[in-house]
Amino acid sequence: MSINVPKISESTFVDWSTGTLSGPGIEEGVKTLGQLEGIFRDREAWRSMAPETEVYRVRYWRPVPDGTTGGVFWGATILYPGRVGDEYFMTHGHFHAIRDRAEIYATVTGTGALLLMDEEGTVTSQEMKPGTVHYMPGNVAHRVVNTGAEPLTFLASWPSDAGHDYGSIKTAGFGKRLVLKDGEPCLV
Ligand code: MN
């Protein structure tokens, strides 16, 4: 009898100094400014910037097929520093398609904030810095904002059947925004 685990050759390797994932089993997705239309408040500033500007890059490992109940996925996001007008670069943000699915993030490099929003639109913020671990319960949308000058890198693990619902964030937005105000990050 053998245990059905993925071969190590299909696995991932973490560089703990940078948070970078590598390995033959990983997939990668890039989000550019052009793909984040409507996410930032200052549309004029957004339009004046190069649409191919990379805002973040996600690498992830799906050891079981997407949608599998009972499995977990593993990923790393590199969120670059920058602003659109006075608003910091951030991830799109999402609820999970299966709403009650939870997730864990752990910060490797950089500084920023994790914004959490419940289904009533109430937003809370948690500071992200190297070593912080964040538990996101189900039914809570999550978005990461880079308020620093270097890439904000964090690892994540989430249920393999969670899925992503980006649509509700796109139409209803997040309740609060992190902007640069008087030289400081400010939640408005
Ligand atoms: Mn998630």
Side-chain angles (χ1 to χ4, degrees), residues 94 96 103 105 142 158 164:
H94 59 263
H96 289 151
E103 183 163 6
Y105 286 171
H142 32 288
W158 67 100
H164 293 91

Side-chain angles (χ1 to χ4, degrees), residues 13 16 27 42 57-58 64 79 84 86 103-104 117 126 131 135 160 162 186:
F13 184 84
W16 289 105
E27 301 166 68
D42 188 340
R57 180 175 289 251
V58 183
V64 292
L79 173 58
V84 176
D86 63 2
E103 183 163 6
I104 284 180
M117 178 177 70
Q126 294 182 357
Y135 181 77
S160 48
C186 184

Side-chain angles (χ1 to χ4, degrees), residues 104-146:
I104 284 180
Y105 286 171
T107 315
V108 182
T109 71
T111 51
L114 171 63
L115 299 185
L116 301 173
M117 178 177 70
D118 68 18
E119 291 180 300
E120 282 73 53
T122 305
V123 175
T124 58
S125 169
Q126 294 182 357
E127 182 187 11
M128 296 180 78
K129 59 184 182 184
T132 60
V133 178
H134 306 269
Y135 181 77
M136 289 151 278
N139 305 298
V140 166
H142 32 288
R143 161 180 282 172
V144 173
V145 186
N146 186 345

